[in-house]
Amino acid sequence: MAYPLFTCVALAKDFPEYSLHEGDLATIVEIHQGGPAQETGYSLEVFNAVGETIALLVVEESSISPVTRNEIL
């Protein structure tokens, strides 16, 4: 699934080096097109509850998932 810029997504796995967990929310801020045998990559920005940036990371598309209606923030 291709995600557009500024889409809110959920992390599909833990990122312990950033103290982030599966299900945490992030915003796509840049798209990195992969080569023929590579996944598309995304730069993500993670915010706390008051809107401060707490992490910037680059992940493969398989490391994120769409946010659904039944998720609780």
Side-chain angles (χ1 to χ4, degrees):
M1 169 179 196
Y3 297 93
L5 280 176
F6 310 116
T7 299
C8 183
V9 294
L11 299 179
K13 66 178 197 174
D14 293 341
F15 289 91
E17 64 273 27
Y18 296 99
S19 298
L20 298 173
H21 305 284
E22 183 178 341
D24 287 348
L25 300 181
T27 301
I28 295 172
V29 295
E30 192 169 354
I31 300 169
H32 310 283
Q33 296 301 324
Q38 296 176 318
E39 285 186 70
T40 298
Y42 295 92
S43 291
L44 304 178
E45 189 166 3
V46 182
F47 302 94
N48 65 13
V50 295
E52 300 166 333
T53 299
I54 57 172
L56 293 167
L57 60 155
V58 178
V59 302
E60 306 89 8
E61 188 169 346
S62 60
S63 296
I64 58 176
S65 60
V67 175
T68 60
R69 289 189 93 101
N70 60 347
E71 292 186 87
I72 299 171
L73 303 178

